[in-house]
Amino acid sequence: METGKRERLFHEAIGEMQGFIRRIAAAHERDEDLRKDLAQDIAMAVWQALPNFRGEASIKTFVGRVAVNRCLSHAAKHARIPSSDGLADHLSADEPGPE
């Protein structure tokens, strides 16, 4: 795909589908900052995937598939990161211990 055509298609896709992309990102990420980062990652993934767009489906279908794939990678990556919402470092009990 020539660069000019790729740029036009990208601006068309991202310009018209920002809300669509944000909704897909929101469905996969609760945290607002991570959701914004995910939407940017989706835009970058669309740019990278555009040379593979054959026009067999609508551009919205193509962007949606790229977005969902990026969201799934994002979720898998964050599932491997241990949660910091675990138990507190120091827990005290009101009753004496077993020793």
Side-chain angles (χ1 to χ4, degrees):
M1 175 179 295
E2 67 182 63
T3 304
K5 183 177 179 182
R6 182 180 182 190
E7 287 176 3
R8 282 192 308 279
L9 195 55
F10 177 75
H11 289 295
E12 174 188 329
I14 298 302
E16 293 178 8
M17 295 181 224
Q18 286 182 2
F20 178 61
I21 290 170
R22 283 195 299 266
R23 285 190 303 277
I24 291 173
H28 291 86
E29 180 55 65
R30 261 186 293 175
D31 182 88
E32 184 177 353
D33 291 332
L34 290 176
R35 193 168 48 240
K36 288 177 184 176
D37 289 345
L38 180 56
Q40 288 180 346
D41 288 346
I42 291 169
M44 180 61 79
V46 168
W47 173 257
Q48 292 171 340
L50 274 176
N52 299 322
F53 180 63
R54 297 184 305 252
E56 294 173 356
S58 72
I59 189 68
K60 184 174 183 178
T61 300
F62 181 78
V63 169
R65 175 52 36 205
V66 170
V68 169
N69 287 343
R70 181 56 55 152
C71 289
L72 294 174
S73 327
H74 171 83
K77 175 181 156 189
H78 286 279
R80 291 189 299 264
I81 298 172
S83 173
S84 61
D85 296 338
L87 297 174
D89 291 336
H90 175 68
L91 295 176
S92 60
D94 296 332
E95 300 175 11
E99 354 15 270

